[in-house]
Amino acid sequence: EMATAKFKSASPYTTLSTNTCGPAPEPPPLPPIRVALFGVGRIGALYLSNIRQNPDLCLVCVVVSPRQSPATIREQLSIPDNVTVTSDPDEVYSDVTIRGVVIATSTATHVDIILASLAAGKAVYCEKPISQSLEETTRCYRAATNAKLPLFCAFNRRFDPSYRAIQEQVRAGKVGHVKTIKSVSRDSPVIPVDYIGPSGGIFDDFSVHDIDLLLWVTGDLPVQVFVSGNAQIPEFAQHGDYDNMVILFKFSTGSIGTIDLNRFSSYGYDQRLEVFGDQGMLHCEHSRPNNSIKQTECGSTKTPIFYSFPSHYHEAFRNQLHHFVELVRGSVLLTVTEKQTRAVSKVVTACKESAKLGLPVKIVWSEGEWPEY
């Protein structure tokens, strides 16, 4: 008899009825959270689609700009009849069944919508930044604290699986002490001309994502920034904005950071991150629709990178909405905190000053400003 015969198990069919090691039964689904969407521009249209596809959310109302026709927007975006489309935000604030709002309007409008929504008892999901003003950002978070409601600032890079994997490894010490961290962010397609002004400029509309990314990955804050930029596209120059820029950071622990920004990339939406430490390097490159490679006598050809941010960050946007659902249900804590958002706002302000002066700008942090990452 074989030595292991005594370990032979009984037929699995004899233990099926008493087996308690299998997967636990799924809990019954919770009712979807009724939400309203403010804004249906470039980013708002994306949220419209993502909210409607999320089984945990029920879109009740879409608020459009007073300059837009609700009927036209409904037809253009195929919004169903059971969703109200209006230019009157009071229809949202007065509806007690709406538990949350998603704000995807221009930055200048954020504060008023946030404050009114919180006062009406709604949880708030707001596209970055909360405000161009550090004081107004603080005011919004104070209102959220007083209302005991979540105010979630949507920095979508944090919810991208590749960036999250890098952040977790960096914070676990897998590359040792970070010597340099480099981000590349080149937009595609170029933003509409009529959005250049309302966008808030390259700092609040574009670089803010990469600034948050570098702070979040390193868990550190810069003590000096230097910005070099210009406008090589005439339409940006006419608005006093930049389309071509590099930002250099000196962090408190000695790490050096760079952000390479451009408002137009002819070959697709170029997003890259590299973290180099004394024990190794982590990096992620462009995302592509697929990883097929064609090889011929002329060389190798890869599938082009994603064209724009909705396709590149499609998973991150979905993950963000899921986080908001969990926030409203009270099952998780806020992952983008007030101090983190305020820190990004303070760095953005220093970057603007550096760009204006053409000189490095020091940033002084008090102990109470330092966020936990």
Side-chain angles (χ1 to χ4, degrees):
E1 185 177 4
M2 294 189 65
T4 61
K6 61 184 177 182
F7 301 121
K8 186 176 180 180
S9 300
S11 167
Y13 293 102
T14 66
T15 59
L16 279 178
S17 59
T18 59
N19 182 14
T20 60
C21 297
E26 290 288 333
L30 295 170
I33 297 164
R34 292 167 63 84
V35 297
L37 171 65
F38 284 80
V40 286
R42 189 166 75 141
I43 188 73
L46 173 63
Y47 279 114
L48 176 66
S49 174
N50 286 346
I51 291 171
R52 291 175 61 186
Q53 293 177 43
N54 190 313
D56 291 314
L57 295 172
C58 174
L59 183 62
V60 177
C61 184
V62 174
V63 182
V64 301
S65 163
R67 300 185 304 274
Q68 296 173 311
S69 161
T72 301
I73 293 297
R74 182 187 296 280
E75 181 179 358
Q76 288 177 343
L77 298 178
S78 302
I79 300 175
D81 292 338
N82 64 343
V83 177
T84 300
V85 182
T86 180
S87 58
D88 181 7
D90 286 334
E91 293 195 39
V92 173
Y93 307 142
S94 62
D95 188 338
V96 295
T97 71
I98 294 176
R99 297 180 62 193
V101 299
V102 176
I103 303 173
T105 55
S106 58
T107 301
T109 67
H110 287 179
V111 172
D112 288 343
I113 301 172
I114 290 170
L115 294 176
S117 298
L118 291 170
K122 320 297 185 190
V124 176
Y125 175 122
C126 184
E127 255 300 311
K128 55 73 204 161
I130 296 294
S131 169
Q132 292 174 290
S133 161
L134 185 57
E135 292 73 20
E136 290 292 281
T137 298
T138 301
R139 183 183 171 203
C140 289
Y141 276 105
R142 291 294 175 268
T145 300
N146 293 337
K148 298 181 180 179
L149 291 166
L151 169 55
F152 172 57
C153 183
F155 285 117
N156 65 28
R157 307 297 197 267
R158 297 188 185 204
F159 295 86
D160 176 81
S162 296
Y163 287 155
R164 178 162 291 278
I166 286 180
Q167 189 261 3
E168 289 174 350
Q169 291 181 79
V170 169
R171 304 304 296 280
K174 299 301 184 182
V175 296
H177 172 61
V178 174
K179 293 186 176 182
T180 59
I181 179 169
K182 304 175 183 178
S183 168
V184 172
S185 198
R186 298 171 184 160
D187 207 1
S188 167
V190 65
I191 61 175
V193 170
D194 58 4
Y195 180 65
I196 296 175
S199 73
I202 193 170
F203 293 106
D204 290 296
D205 182 57
F206 198 41
S207 74
V208 65
H209 276 302
D210 296 87
I211 292 170
D212 178 69
L213 180 64
L214 266 61
L215 272 57
W216 175 65
V217 169
T218 61
D220 199 0
L221 297 177
V223 294
Q224 181 175 290
V225 297
F226 176 66
V227 176
S228 180
N230 53 34
Q232 299 187 0
I233 300 174
E235 289 77 6
F236 285 92
Q238 290 167 10
H239 284 82
D241 199 3
Y242 305 85
D243 59 64
N244 185 44
M245 179 175 288
V246 173
I247 307 176
L248 178 66
F249 298 91
K250 183 184 292 183
F251 285 91
S252 70
T253 57
S255 304
I256 300 296
T258 60
I259 299 177
D260 173 347
L261 297 165
N262 200 284
R263 279 295 205 176
F264 176 58
S265 165
S266 62
Y267 54 86
Y269 192 63
D270 188 353
Q271 302 283 286
R272 284 172 278 160
L273 177 67
E274 177 191 291
V275 185
F276 171 68
D278 51 21
Q279 295 180 30
M281 181 186 74
L282 291 161
H283 69 103
C284 60
E285 299 183 346
H286 323 282
S287 292
R288 303 174 187 273
N290 64 69
N291 294 316
S292 64
I293 301 174
K294 178 183 179 182
Q295 293 181 319
T296 69
E297 68 276 6
C298 299
S300 298
T301 304
K302 294 183 178 180
T303 304
I305 64 177
F306 280 118
Y307 178 65
S308 191
F309 72 89
S311 48
H312 182 100
Y313 287 116
H314 65 280
E315 192 168 357
F317 280 108
R318 289 201 300 265
N319 291 341
Q320 282 188 144
L321 278 177
H322 178 67
H323 180 61
F324 184 63
V325 167
E326 292 183 315
L327 282 171
V328 175
R329 289 177 173 165
S331 57
V332 298
L333 297 175
L334 195 64
T335 58
V336 183
T337 68
E338 175 185 355
K339 284 188 177 181
Q340 292 170 5
T341 306
R342 283 170 47 82
V344 172
S345 181
K346 185 167 180 173
V347 174
V348 167
T349 300
C351 288
K352 291 176 182 178
E353 184 180 356
S354 176
K356 181 179 179 180
L357 298 175
L359 297 170
V361 170
K362 293 186 180 298
I363 309 175
V364 179
W365 303 93
S366 68
E367 186 176 347
E369 290 180 300
W370 203 276
E372 291 185 6
Y373 284 97

